[in-house]
Amino acid sequence: MTHPPPLQPTGEQYEIRSGDHRAVITEVGATLRSFRVGDRDVVRGFGADEVVHGGRGQQLLPWPNRIRDGRYVFEGGDQQLALTEPDRHNAIHGLVRHVPWILVEHAEDRIEQRVRVFPQPGWPGTVEATLRHSVSAAGLLVEVTVTNVGSAPVPFGYAAHPYLTVGEQSVDEVALTVPAGRYLEVDDRLLPLQLRPVNGTTYDLRAGDPVAEVNLDTAFTDLAADDGRWVVRLELGDRWAELWAEAKFGWLQVYTGADRRDQSIAVEPMTCGPDAFNPGITHDDVIVLQPGDSFAGQWGVRGA
């Protein structure tokens, strides 16, 4: 008997290309598995035969980052999410990372996918997310639209989790520019304590200095935008990579790999900060989607 070939851990693999720009997006999680310009990786992803780890290239909704103890109160109702970061007793990175997204369109230079999140323990409503990846000479563009298609309001936040690379052996070598005026001080569970200005601290990355020994798993805000967009830039020799996002992405997480200095640098555009569903210093940036309301945003990656 002939058996069909085994499925890849992230499902179908969809390649898009334009000139020397090429990306691969997966069925599972609408994950950005790779993005290359010519023979150079701009996004450091993972192999088609690998299980995604470290959030690489994943889409994070209906909340990004962490929710303390998986608990929050919304519209007077107590919600309890599964603790998907058990070592820190948090719920992390939403509900769509490990589910298959429906293919809507796949053309040579673009792909559109859709997913619906229905009511479940810890999540009170129904949203539909549509995500379009496209490539051109300008780089990779990601367009996201999320609509409340249910009958009840829902809290909402979105982020993405690509790792950028400039061919480094260690992130210490990389010159990193982050246009942020404030950073979030956190506890040992990476939950908010207070917002602090970056001035005079190792978190002031506005000058584009090498990362050196700085260890980041840090949320930033007060992002300086030019023409409605802010930009994070990595440089090493003749290599560079940038992630840009619309100003409506008011937060950014940067992760340098903790003890692993060879994993590249995660640059995560976020609409809200950690534990935003709960009262506190990040709560004001939660988006409440009433029935029929939509959120739409854009971010992208470019490099050489």
Side-chain angles (χ1 to χ4, degrees):
M1 179 180 293
T2 301
H3 296 282
L7 290 175
Q8 302 287 8
T10 50
E12 298 292 336
Q13 309 290 303
Y14 304 112
E15 182 178 273
I16 56 176
R17 61 170 61 232
S18 176
D20 61 354
H21 290 65
R22 180 169 61 89
V24 177
I25 294 88
T26 72
E27 175 188 10
V28 174
T31 299
L32 176 62
R33 187 171 68 74
S34 68
F35 174 52
R36 294 170 64 87
V37 178
D39 62 353
R40 291 178 167 183
D41 288 314
V42 179
V43 165
R44 184 170 179 184
F46 57 98
D49 60 346
E50 293 183 78
V51 176
V52 62
H53 58 90
R56 289 186 180 273
Q58 291 184 317
Q59 308 297 322
L60 317 180
L61 67 92
W63 78 88
N65 216 286
R66 294 163 175 85
I67 295 178
R68 182 188 305 270
D69 302 318
R71 292 180 179 177
Y72 65 99
V73 177
F74 183 71
E75 297 283 303
D78 293 329
Q79 303 292 342
Q80 177 64 66
L81 292 156
L83 299 181
T84 46
E85 191 182 39
D87 55 334
R88 294 192 176 108
H89 211 258
N90 297 320
I92 190 170
H93 288 341
L95 299 169
V96 302
R97 292 195 292 159
H98 302 291
V99 300
W101 287 52
I102 295 169
L103 179 65
V104 177
E105 177 191 22
H106 184 199
E108 182 179 15
D109 62 350
R110 64 191 181 278
I111 179 174
E112 186 172 308
Q113 294 165 280
R114 184 181 73 230
V115 72
R116 289 173 177 165
V117 182
F118 290 96
Q120 57 193 276
W123 174 251
T126 307
V127 295
E128 180 177 276
T130 301
L131 199 80
R132 173 177 284 209
H133 289 85
S134 57
V135 288
S136 69
L140 172 76
L141 171 65
V142 183
E143 301 166 276
V144 58
T145 302
V146 180
T147 302
N148 183 346
V149 293
S151 59
V154 291
F156 173 73
Y158 165 79
H161 206 303
Y163 284 69
L164 303 189
T165 181
V166 284
E168 68 285 341
Q169 296 298 310
S170 166
V171 297
D172 302 31
E173 308 170 277
V174 178
L176 176 64
T177 303
V178 178
R182 291 186 293 170
Y183 75 96
L184 187 66
E185 183 182 357
V186 295
D187 61 18
D188 59 358
R189 294 169 61 192
L190 300 183
L191 295 168
L193 292 174
Q194 57 186 321
L195 278 170
R196 293 187 177 276
V198 300
N199 305 66
T201 73
T202 57
Y203 301 102
D204 190 346
L205 305 170
R206 292 173 292 188
D209 295 324
V211 171
E213 297 178 358
V214 176
N215 186 22
L216 301 172
D217 195 352
T218 307
F220 294 90
T221 190
D222 209 3
L223 301 168
D226 182 21
D227 229 5
R229 297 176 174 183
W230 51 259
V231 179
V232 171
R233 184 176 175 92
L234 284 64
E235 294 181 84
L236 180 62
D238 68 341
R239 296 280 299 271
W240 63 274
E242 291 182 341
L243 184 141
W244 61 266
E246 293 180 314
K248 64 179 65 177
F249 291 84
W251 289 80
L252 165 71
Q253 187 90 7
V254 180
Y255 176 58
T256 54
D259 294 335
R260 288 286 306 275
R261 306 295 281 182
D262 61 346
Q263 295 195 92
S264 303
I265 297 175
V267 181
E268 308 164 40
M270 306 189 295
T271 62
C272 58
D275 201 31
F277 282 10
N278 283 308
I281 55 180
T282 62
H283 185 63
D284 287 348
D285 292 310
V286 172
I287 299 166
V288 176
L289 293 177
Q290 299 293 335
D293 284 355
S294 293
F295 164 84
Q298 298 183 1
W299 60 274
V301 178
R302 55 199 176 212

